[in-house]
Amino acid sequence: MDSEDPSEEVQYHVGVGPDDIAGPVLLPGDPERVPKIADAWDAHEEVASHREFRTVTGEYEGAPLTCTSTGIGSPSAAIAVEELARVGTETFLRVGSCGVIQPGIDIGDLVITSGAVRQEGTSREYVREDYPAVADHEVVSALVAAAEELGYDYHVGLTCSTDSFYAGQGREGFGGFEAAGADERVEELREAGVLNFEMEAAAICTLANLYGLRGGAVCTVYANRVTGEFRTEGERRAGRCASLAAKLLDEMDALKDEAGADVWHAGLSLSR
């Protein structure tokens, strides 16, 4: 079935055209995080702002990149990926905050997603439920290298993406409401080694894989569900890590071109 294309140039929701974006796109949820992320860049300019989608484009250490907010949840994140892909984006880095469900992870640490449990509904409208939401290995490698260079404590592993901040993540709803099976679901994920909860990574990684693009995620830990701690500490770390990762991906792509390689691998060193 054919569907209408609201615009061949400027995209209907995100409000950008091909000339407005450059390099990898960082995807925070909160529009207010966009200028906080871009403040660490060499230069940036706001190119669009429509609904929850706020976009700036600029340079970090000489490498081009863009940052577009997606709002909360996978439905709007998928819209951003769809429309940014239509104007030429090939790499997507989710930049957010999360709650962890494992001991030994501190507030302010980073969680770099290697893959995601698809406990959200958006990706199921694209592909069967047993299709894996895997982060691109080049993106994961770049994020790890960036965290190491910046001296940030980080953890690499599986993320669970949910549609609900409350019931879907085992929190009480209004008036003490508890969703059936919520506690058991959280414990099952903990025992399976899942590190954290957030709300967009699974859809971003799923769509990126379906379209032959690169996707991944890095989140700052705000909450530890084991210890009961919650603090908005280290808010800018995920953005700095993703910005440097975008620069490293630019270098990785150049090394691939020079070597005639299809993918970056450990044999193609990054010397900085």
Side-chain angles (χ1 to χ4, degrees):
M1 173 179 171
D2 293 334
S3 67
E4 78 286 357
D5 184 352
S7 172
E8 294 181 358
E9 291 291 332
V10 175
Q11 297 299 299
Y12 178 68
H13 295 92
V14 298
V16 299
D19 295 335
D20 295 320
I21 56 103
V25 175
L26 280 55
L27 300 174
D30 185 356
E32 296 302 316
R33 281 192 185 144
V34 173
K36 294 177 182 178
I37 291 170
D39 280 347
W41 298 359
D42 305 331
H44 65 274
E45 177 186 3
E46 183 168 307
V47 295
S49 183
H50 183 228
R51 301 187 183 183
E52 64 265 50
F53 305 105
R54 184 177 187 180
T55 299
V56 301
T57 291
E59 290 187 355
Y60 180 85
E61 293 190 6
L65 73 173
T66 292
C67 182
T68 298
S69 58
T70 65
I72 297 175
S74 289
S76 60
I79 288 172
V81 172
E82 285 278 8
E83 297 190 359
L84 289 164
R86 283 164 164 75
V87 294
T89 301
E90 297 180 349
T91 303
F92 299 90
L93 288 77
R94 153 119 169 94
V95 181
S97 58
C98 68
V100 294
I101 58 175
Q102 299 290 344
I105 301 178
D106 295 327
I107 304 299
D109 286 3
L110 297 181
V111 173
I112 296 170
T113 296
S114 59
V117 178
R118 293 167 54 200
Q119 192 181 301
E120 41 72 45
T122 302
S123 67
R124 290 198 295 272
E125 296 191 347
Y126 281 83
V127 68
R128 50 192 284 174
E129 292 185 26
D130 54 359
Y131 183 91
V134 181
D136 180 84
H137 86 279
E138 294 181 352
V139 172
V140 174
S141 296
L143 288 168
V144 169
E148 287 278 355
E149 184 170 327
L150 292 166
Y152 295 155
D153 291 328
Y154 66 92
H155 311 264
V156 181
L158 298 175
T159 289
C160 179
S161 298
T162 71
D163 276 339
S164 167
F165 180 82
Y166 293 98
Q169 298 184 17
R171 293 185 175 92
E172 287 189 355
F174 174 70
F177 172 82
E178 295 185 9
D183 288 342
E184 292 83 356
R185 185 162 56 245
V186 173
E187 185 59 31
E188 178 186 18
L189 291 167
R190 181 181 293 118
E191 291 179 357
V194 172
L195 299 185
N196 62 320
F197 280 123
E198 56 79 73
M199 300 180 69
E200 293 86 15
I204 291 169
C205 288
T206 297
L207 268 65
N209 280 307
L210 286 173
Y211 297 152
L213 307 172
R214 297 188 296 200
V218 57
C219 291
T220 303
V221 175
Y222 279 5
N224 187 306
R225 304 292 297 282
V226 179
T227 65
E229 295 176 273
F230 181 91
R231 296 193 307 277
T232 54
E233 182 178 309
E235 178 183 9
R236 297 176 187 263
R237 289 176 193 164
R240 292 191 183 115
C241 183
S243 297
L244 179 52
K247 163 64 175 176
L248 295 176
L249 285 164
D250 186 67
E251 295 179 9
M252 291 158 74
D253 290 342
L255 286 169
K256 286 190 297 185
D257 290 343
E258 182 180 338
D262 292 330
V263 297
W264 184 87
H265 55 82
L268 302 175
S269 63
L270 282 169
S271 57
R272 291 171 60 75

